Amino acid sequence: MNDLQIDYFMAVATNLSFSKTAEELYVSQPAISRQISQLEKELGAKLFRRNNQKTELTEVGKLYYELFSRYKVDYLNTKIAADQILGKKRKIMRVGFLEGWDLFDVIPPVMERYNEIYPDSEVIINCCGVKDLSTGLLTNTLDFIVTMKNSITSYPELETYDAGRTGKILIYSSRHPLADRDPEELTLRDFRNDLFIAPWEIVDKMIVEAISEYTRPYGFIPNLRFVKNHESTITCVRNNLGVTIADDWVWAKGADDLRWMRFDASDTVSIARMRMKHDEYMITMSKILKEVVSDYLAK
């Protein structure tokens, strides 16, 4: 058994998909399957059950998922404690934000406040999709994530803090037939015949229901098409291939070739970390993120 096998297992257990995990980790699906097969052989038990294109953890798999979750956290905390005994400092803090957000007024104050307390430390920022963020925490490649609350409610091993709420907007192309209309005169119902684009990696029942919940008060269920990621979504909208629902603090609404309109809906933004990870660095960053993100959302 090795850390690579454990990381692959944890990632597949999070995504419940070998293909999505291969996409996220930039490795082939057979390579992931081979490592997990070796892990199953060593453990003497099947960890996943696959049928009808569905992947789920076996009862034994659930036990090992809990075990490896504790192992990752305990190992890191032990290493931090050992480094402190040896007079070393942990110099890297890895924070992940949901891709597409305009973080111009968020990242600088976070880094400034943290570096003021720990001048020898480094803050690494990553922006990625919801699945990458949760996988990053569970596989210890991220220390904190800032994301939508509805994407992490199924992970009891995470400690979360609700930072505030962000409104929702509809983004459409400057080439759209309604682009010359005043956005304040438009409603979602005006776009009921449009194709709604969303990143494919967030395709699950929760997201489909959420998008439908936004449009239902306007009398329709959207025709949805899923593409690879946020960049693909915005590219499609820019070229008038569809419209998309996004958070109010998305950077794309500032583009000259896009139009946007607010509608009556909002979602909760949460800050999350592994529940068992706690040291002075984590406590400090947690406090800073809560203050900065909450203040930004309250504006």
PDB file of all heavy atoms in Angstrom, residues 5 7 55 61 111 114 186:
ATOM      1  N   GLN A   5      -1.868   5.063  -4.132  1.00  0.00           N
ATOM      2  CA  GLN A   5      -3.067   4.238  -4.131  1.00  0.00           C
ATOM      3  C   GLN A   5      -4.149   4.844  -3.249  1.00  0.00           C
ATOM      4  O   GLN A   5      -5.327   4.871  -3.619  1.00  0.00           O
ATOM      5  CB  GLN A   5      -2.719   2.829  -3.649  1.00  0.00           C
ATOM      6  CG  GLN A   5      -1.813   2.064  -4.599  1.00  0.00           C
ATOM      7  CD  GLN A   5      -1.282   0.778  -3.982  1.00  0.00           C
ATOM      8  OE1 GLN A   5      -1.359   0.584  -2.773  1.00  0.00           O
ATOM      9  NE2 GLN A   5      -0.720  -0.090  -4.816  1.00  0.00           N
ATOM     10  N   ASP A   7      -4.466   8.050  -2.404  1.00  0.00           N
ATOM     11  CA  ASP A   7      -4.963   9.285  -3.025  1.00  0.00           C
ATOM     12  C   ASP A   7      -5.955   8.991  -4.142  1.00  0.00           C
ATOM     13  O   ASP A   7      -6.995   9.650  -4.258  1.00  0.00           O
ATOM     14  CB  ASP A   7      -3.786  10.105  -3.571  1.00  0.00           C
ATOM     15  CG  ASP A   7      -2.981  10.784  -2.484  1.00  0.00           C
ATOM     16  OD1 ASP A   7      -3.485  10.864  -1.347  1.00  0.00           O
ATOM     17  OD2 ASP A   7      -1.858  11.230  -2.768  1.00  0.00           O
ATOM     18  N   THR A  55     -20.922   4.051  -9.896  1.00  0.00           N
ATOM     19  CA  THR A  55     -19.855   3.644  -8.982  1.00  0.00           C
ATOM     20  C   THR A  55     -20.240   4.034  -7.568  1.00  0.00           C
ATOM     21  O   THR A  55     -20.653   5.178  -7.312  1.00  0.00           O
ATOM     22  CB  THR A  55     -18.519   4.314  -9.353  1.00  0.00           C
ATOM     23  OG1 THR A  55     -18.146   3.938 -10.677  1.00  0.00           O
ATOM     24  CG2 THR A  55     -17.414   3.911  -8.382  1.00  0.00           C
ATOM     25  N   GLY A  61     -15.469  -0.534   1.676  1.00  0.00           N
ATOM     26  CA  GLY A  61     -14.898   0.689   1.126  1.00  0.00           C
ATOM     27  C   GLY A  61     -15.186   1.892   2.008  1.00  0.00           C
ATOM     28  O   GLY A  61     -14.326   2.770   2.185  1.00  0.00           O
ATOM     29  N   MET A 111      -3.708  37.488   1.746  1.00  0.00           N
ATOM     30  CA  MET A 111      -2.268  37.243   1.729  1.00  0.00           C
ATOM     31  C   MET A 111      -1.516  38.256   2.592  1.00  0.00           C
ATOM     32  O   MET A 111      -0.574  37.903   3.306  1.00  0.00           O
ATOM     33  CB  MET A 111      -1.758  37.258   0.293  1.00  0.00           C
ATOM     34  CG  MET A 111      -2.394  36.187  -0.576  1.00  0.00           C
ATOM     35  SD  MET A 111      -1.700  36.048  -2.233  1.00  0.00           S
ATOM     36  CE  MET A 111      -0.100  35.331  -1.888  1.00  0.00           C
ATOM     37  N   TYR A 114      -2.074  37.409   6.350  1.00  0.00           N
ATOM     38  CA  TYR A 114      -1.401  36.177   6.742  1.00  0.00           C
ATOM     39  C   TYR A 114       0.116  36.365   6.761  1.00  0.00           C
ATOM     40  O   TYR A 114       0.800  35.941   7.711  1.00  0.00           O
ATOM     41  CB  TYR A 114      -1.779  35.048   5.787  1.00  0.00           C
ATOM     42  CG  TYR A 114      -1.264  33.692   6.217  1.00  0.00           C
ATOM     43  CD1 TYR A 114      -1.904  32.961   7.216  1.00  0.00           C
ATOM     44  CD2 TYR A 114      -0.126  33.136   5.624  1.00  0.00           C
ATOM     45  CE1 TYR A 114      -1.435  31.722   7.610  1.00  0.00           C
ATOM     46  CE2 TYR A 114       0.348  31.899   6.012  1.00  0.00           C
ATOM     47  CZ  TYR A 114      -0.301  31.194   7.006  1.00  0.00           C
ATOM     48  OH  TYR A 114       0.170  29.969   7.410  1.00  0.00           O
ATOM     49  N   LEU A 186     -35.857  42.930 -18.186  1.00  0.00           N
ATOM     50  CA  LEU A 186     -35.908  41.515 -18.533  1.00  0.00           C
ATOM     51  C   LEU A 186     -36.103  40.648 -17.296  1.00  0.00           C
ATOM     52  O   LEU A 186     -35.768  41.047 -16.172  1.00  0.00           O
ATOM     53  CB  LEU A 186     -34.613  41.100 -19.238  1.00  0.00           C
ATOM     54  CG  LEU A 186     -34.280  41.804 -20.555  1.00  0.00           C
ATOM     55  CD1 LEU A 186     -32.886  41.400 -21.020  1.00  0.00           C
ATOM     56  CD2 LEU A 186     -35.326  41.479 -21.622  1.00  0.00           C
TER      57      LEU A 186
END
